[in-house]
Amino acid sequence: MTKLKKLLSLILTLAVVCSVAAVSITAKAADTEEAQAQADSGITVHYYSESGTTPTIYYWNSLPTNLVTAYPGKTMEKDIKENWYTYKFDNVTKINLMFVDNGKQSKELTRNTGEWYYKNGAWSTSYDVDTQRGDFREESIYFVITTRFYDGDTGNNVHCWDDSQANNPDSDPAWRGDFQGLIDKLDYIKALGFSAIWITPVVTNASGYDYHGYHAMDISTVDARYESSGATYQDLINAVHAKGMRLIQDVVINHTGNFGEAFLAPMFTKEYSDIKDLESVDCMKVIPDSDFAKTFPNYDAMEPGMQYQARLNIMKDTKGLSTTAHDTNNYYHHYKDLSWESPTVQTGQIAGDCVDVNTENPVVANYLNEAYNNYINMGVDAFRLDTEKHVSRLSLNQFFFPSWRAAGGNNFYIFGEVCTRVSEFWNHNIPAISAPFYTWAETDSKYINALGNDWEANVNLTLQHYASNQTTANQPTSDNVYLNGITYHTPDYSKSNGTGVIDFPMHWNFSNASNAYRRALEEDPYYNDSSWNVTYVDSHDYGPDMDNRFNGGTQAWAENLNLLFTFRGIPCVYYGSEVEFQKGVPMDVGPNAPLSTTGRAYFGDYLEGSVSANDFGEYSASGTVESTLTSPLAVHMRQLNLIRRAVPALQKGQYTTSGTYVSGGMSFIRRYTNADEGVDSLALVSITDGATFKNIPNGKYIDAVTGDVKNVTNGTLTVSSMGKGNMRVYVCCASGFTEISGKIGTTGTYLK
């Protein structure tokens, strides 16, 4: 990201939210030449007119040369496809624009260098806009910490300021993996069969240990330490889509880092002539004439502890070192205390490097939405919302979710992290900080569209909202995930807020699959529709009921994965799990030990060599990566991905465990019916112990795991115990049902 682009981008963003604050992040002087080189390729936009009327395009504020036109803009030219129109901007890298179609305006949009297609409120990189963001339950997710996955460009490797404290050597700096590395190894992820990639936050960060991306300094820009020539964030998004895959961006609205934020608390710029300059805190320069500079003119001479207090003094008006009023716009919460099981969990500061943003302030919400909507406009397919529990559901439902869905279209997927480190699904019986709670819309009239322009009144209303949801007795329930007998029924989403959550209760119980399964069955009535949950065994933060990576053994891993890929929810796997990478080690110890000794170690050594994926789960490879892909769990994951992709019931189906239809341990029936799609998919799943399925349609059933064929004539199908790590998925192939042709995938160590 160039100096010029960053400066003007920030000014444009601030204009939208009616602010006069401005700050830049300075880079190399040569960046201006780079900007001009990029401008040579220009921007081409294609627009689909539903009415077929020739639209106009209104545009303004382009870079590096400003192009403007009078409203309603220039007439677009007919495209090669019916009802499509096109317009080309030469010598620009970024432009703001709006389509005017038959007197109706689109929302204000932004595009960067490249060729773009816009239809029904969504951008794509091809004419096939409608299929670019489909039902996200059709996907499976591979989750990476970008800086720890694969090093595609050693030129942007950078130590964190605290790398010396952590003893991270020059051979393994914290900022190591990058966008080029992701682009280089997309075929590896596709070879495993995964269709979506969740990456850690991409925004500009600043802290002593910010390699993970959760300490934002400028939400509106991408951190330069990820990017390379030919591997910008836009290049990564385009590369993911070219593979037929989806990109999930991790986003944070609860907090920023404690070095301020470009709009919310402008205190510092990053000054560097070479990216290696970022390895020292000396790159952080106080913005002249800022409130911070005037209040603490001797900042550079202060001890680090006092420097931290000085920064908080400005951001949160703590009065600790200065009694002058600061943050007078209340862009941050000024509350001093935090209790994990009270309303202060949503207004207090969860950590010293996570300063709590006032999400109830409409100006703040507008800024965050404009910044994140720009990433949606770049083509991001979904958001994982960090620290969702620490933001009031009321604020999310009114200020944030509608904005993101409007920018991304109806199929833009959002799932949040409602971290509940307890085995039960109601977090100590408090719904307002529990996972199921965050899947519902507001139904109480006093909370529907209740937030206004007064941030303080908004905060008070969120406190009332929390108090209204401190008992489990008045929480809604739903049958959206359940079959009616063994018949699929249309879900009722009238009370849904249109988002999913990470299934933390299930995750926390994944010490073994049967525990996770029991917890899921108990919690499911309280989600609006748990088939939209993201399910995983472990992540970059926790293993099941522990702070370590899962260490239950390969066979237990196989059994857990069988449940993840066949039961309701969207399966997600943390990078390296396919080889039990770093099993049993602490997930995150901060800068108190080398990253190589933690669950966030560098994985790239396993990926050296060549891999080319012809399709999901179909590949050729050589070198170390070939060995990685042929490890037992990698083979297991690939077959599970192929089975799930082939059976719609395993993606979007409702389920039953009713004794009328099934008996056995981890056994269930799933079915998905959609007449418009021509789909009626029915699957009988039995994991480990065997089952008897009763009152099912007669006809042929094929096991997707082995290819075994059973012809049911009396409505009953029996599956023998097959052992831990193994399972059966009998797909109904009777007349009128969506068939499979036989065994799917390659026999491995456990599925056989």
Side-chain angles (χ1 to χ4, degrees), residues 64 97 134 153 247 257 270 300 309 323 396 406 431 522 546 550 710:
L97 57 94
D153 179 6
L247 186 74
K270 284 186 180 181
D300 289 339
Q309 293 299 331
T323 57
L396 293 170
E522 292 167 356
M546 65 183 87
F550 182 75
K710 292 186 184 296

Side-chain angles (χ1 to χ4, degrees), residues 669-744:
I669 299 174
R670 296 192 68 188
R671 188 173 186 177
Y672 174 72
T673 306
N674 189 313
D676 293 337
E677 297 174 356
V679 172
D680 191 1
S681 177
L682 175 67
L684 318 177
V685 180
S686 181
I687 299 171
T688 304
D689 292 328
T692 298
F693 298 96
K694 301 167 288 187
N695 299 308
I696 60 175
N698 289 330
K700 183 170 71 172
Y701 288 75
I702 300 176
D703 176 26
V705 175
T706 65
D708 178 59
V709 177
K710 292 186 184 296
N711 289 297
V712 174
T713 59
N714 61 354
T716 301
L717 187 154
T718 299
V719 178
S720 300
S721 174
M722 72 291 301
K724 187 173 181 178
N726 204 355
M727 70 171 177
R728 297 290 178 260
V729 180
Y730 278 94
V731 178
C732 184
C733 298
S735 177
F737 285 88
T738 303
E739 303 180 17
I740 61 173
S741 59
K743 172 184 174 180
I744 298 172

Side-chain angles (χ1 to χ4, degrees), residues 153-197:
D153 179 6
T154 58
N156 60 10
N157 290 1
V158 182
H159 280 294
C160 282
W161 310 332
D162 289 345
D163 264 17
S164 58
Q165 178 184 335
N167 289 319
N168 290 323
D170 288 344
S171 59
D172 187 25
W175 283 84
R176 188 174 179 184
D178 45 40
F179 291 159
Q180 185 64 64
L182 282 172
I183 293 170
D184 290 346
K185 297 304 176 182
L186 288 177
D187 275 14
Y188 169 77
I189 298 170
K190 190 169 183 176
L192 286 171
F194 291 95
S195 57
I197 305 162

Side-chain angles (χ1 to χ4, degrees), residues 452-579:
N453 292 322
D454 183 340
W455 72 265
E456 197 163 13
N458 292 345
V459 169
N460 289 334
L461 201 61
T462 64
L463 297 177
Q464 295 174 34
H465 184 263
Y466 187 101
S468 297
N469 291 283
Q470 289 199 87
T471 174
T472 61
N474 61 352
Q475 296 307 305
T477 59
S478 169
D479 65 357
N480 281 337
V481 79
Y482 300 117
L483 290 169
N484 182 4
I486 56 170
T487 301
Y488 183 86
H489 65 94
T490 302
D492 177 7
Y493 290 141
S494 62
K495 296 180 181 179
S496 169
N497 65 5
T499 73
V501 292
I502 293 169
D503 198 327
F504 232 89
M506 193 176 180
H507 151 63
W508 208 246
N509 283 275
F510 249 122
S511 54
N512 61 70
S514 58
N515 282 350
Y517 180 62
R518 283 194 296 269
R519 176 59 71 233
L521 294 179
E522 292 167 356
E523 67 178 333
D524 272 5
Y526 300 98
Y527 292 98
N528 184 271
D529 184 348
S530 61
S531 70
W532 292 94
N533 288 2
V534 169
T535 56
Y536 57 55
V537 174
D538 62 9
S539 73
H540 61 324
D541 288 325
Y542 309 112
D545 196 19
M546 65 183 87
D547 293 335
N548 298 351
R549 291 202 75 158
F550 182 75
N551 193 26
T554 312
Q555 194 172 37
W557 250 122
E559 186 179 48
N560 285 344
L561 291 167
N562 290 346
L563 182 62
L564 277 184
F565 279 81
T566 59
F567 195 48
R568 92 298 183 269
I570 303 169
C572 176
V573 172
Y574 182 45
Y575 79 94
S577 297
E578 60 271 32
V579 292

Side-chain angles (χ1 to χ4, degrees), residues 194-472:
F194 291 95
S195 57
I197 305 162
W198 161 14
I199 62 173
T200 40
V202 303
V203 303
T204 300
N205 264 233
S207 79
Y209 219 46
D210 61 359
Y211 69 92
H212 44 64
Y214 295 96
H215 298 162
M217 176 188 169
D218 185 353
I219 290 167
S220 69
T221 60
V222 174
D223 201 297
R225 292 169 287 184
Y226 290 121
E227 297 192 314
S228 317
S229 176
T232 65
Y233 191 34
Q234 189 66 69
D235 291 324
L236 172 62
I237 295 169
N238 295 350
V240 169
H241 289 166
K243 298 290 183 184
M245 303 168 80
R246 305 289 173 258
L247 186 74
I248 304 165
Q249 179 176 329
D250 208 320
V251 300
V252 187
I253 63 172
N254 165 255
H255 61 265
T256 70
N258 64 47
F259 278 82
E261 200 280 335
F263 169 64
L264 301 173
M267 300 192 295
F268 294 89
T269 57
K270 284 186 180 181
E271 302 287 343
Y272 63 100
S273 58
D274 185 274
I275 199 162
K276 297 293 185 183
D277 295 341
L278 297 176
E279 295 185 337
S280 169
V281 71
D282 294 340
C283 71
M284 303 296 291
K285 303 300 182 183
V286 176
I287 298 173
D289 297 324
S290 64
D291 182 31
F292 185 67
K294 294 174 182 177
T295 306
F296 299 105
N298 63 336
Y299 173 81
D300 289 339
M302 298 169 71
E303 293 295 320
M306 288 296 99
Q307 289 181 328
Y308 166 71
Q309 293 299 331
R311 298 193 298 269
L312 283 192
N313 204 130
I314 299 298
M315 298 174 72
K316 298 182 65 173
D317 196 26
T318 61
K319 308 297 185 188
L321 300 179
S322 166
T323 57
T324 306
H326 305 289
D327 187 33
T328 54
N329 292 314
N330 287 278
Y331 291 160
Y332 287 87
H333 286 136
H334 295 177
Y335 305 96
K336 307 301 188 295
D337 300 318
L338 180 141
S339 169
W340 295 104
E341 295 180 355
S342 80
T344 60
V345 77
Q346 297 173 346
T347 55
Q349 182 168 316
I350 62 174
D353 47 20
C354 300
V355 186
D356 205 69
V357 171
N358 187 353
T359 43
E360 289 70 54
N361 187 323
V363 176
V364 172
N366 285 339
Y367 169 66
L368 295 173
N369 284 334
E370 287 293 333
Y372 284 125
N373 285 351
N374 188 51
Y375 297 116
I376 297 174
N377 288 337
M378 291 172 70
V380 169
D381 298 290
F383 281 166
R384 179 266 189 180
L385 177 59
D386 181 70
T387 51
E388 181 174 28
K389 180 180 75 174
H390 300 284
V391 181
S392 170
R393 188 187 75 182
L394 182 60
S395 300
L396 293 170
N397 279 346
Q398 182 166 333
F399 280 161
F400 296 99
F401 293 157
S403 176
W404 298 344
R405 294 293 291 273
N410 290 333
N411 282 329
F412 186 79
Y413 180 54
I414 303 161
F415 65 101
E417 178 210 20
V418 185
C419 177
T420 52
R421 299 181 58 180
V422 292
S423 62
E424 64 267 19
F425 59 89
W426 290 127
N427 186 359
H428 292 138
N429 288 318
I430 305 174
I433 51 174
S434 301
F437 181 76
Y438 278 84
T439 65
W440 295 88
E442 306 307 331
T443 56
D444 188 328
S445 60
K446 66 176 173 287
Y447 296 124
I448 297 174
N449 298 322
L451 301 182
N453 292 322
D454 183 340
W455 72 265
E456 197 163 13
N458 292 345
V459 169
N460 289 334
L461 201 61
T462 64
L463 297 177
Q464 295 174 34
H465 184 263
Y466 187 101
S468 297
N469 291 283
Q470 289 199 87
T471 174
T472 61

